[in-house]
Amino acid sequence: MLEQLKQEVFEANIELMRRKVVIYTWGNVSGIDREKGLMVIKPSGIDYDRMSARDMVVIDIRTGEKVDGKWRPSSDTATHIELYRKYPQIGGITHTHSVNAVAFAQAGRDIPALGTTHADYFYGPIPCTRSLTKEEVEKGYEKNTGKVIIETLEERGIEPLAVPGIVVRNHGPFTWGRDAAASVYHAVVMDTVAEMTMKTLLLNPSAEMPQYILDKHYYRKHGKNAYYGQK
Ligand SMILES: [Zn+2]
């Protein structure tokens, strides 16, 4: 079932390890087949070096039930489901505990847009959510993590593909994209941008970037007048 998507999601999970944004089993990537309404996700607690495409788990996002695979799915499955249900434009989701993005999550701070590296991929600050309440943690924690991500994007009027990631307060980054590989790419970029931003703020706590530089860099890569790269 969904052999090609399983292969893509497996490779996306391996790419996370290869880019050194995860150690042990600290991350998960999923991808979705929108026509079938089925999500493929990493199994829970399986080491990357023992994992193969056959170990991926298939979940029906309408029911939340497993429909294929021998392992239990990632413990963050319910978060992925919430985001797929809400945003039909998303085709892949990645969660990590990468050090630099987690530092912003733990500090409870947005990752401000201070330079063109950030602006090439994220159109504005990468938001930090509020903390989950005690009730939200005790009942339906993973689902509520998805809900607080959606709440934050909606409050700020963010189109998810324009800012393809967020940090969940006290926890860490979630990123997304048109497919699983794009969500991993954004996870790797976000962590590097977070490291650059942290160092920038050490040197100059009031550093900022004018809006027109943000606009220039974002729109030369995205949108109908984009001209970056090859035709
Ligand atoms: Zn986590």
Side-chain angles (χ1 to χ4, degrees), residues 26-28 75-76 95-97 141 171-174:
W26 295 6
N28 45 74
S75 49
D76 296 308
H95 171 52
T96 78
H97 286 200
Y141 173 58
H171 187 172
F174 284 80

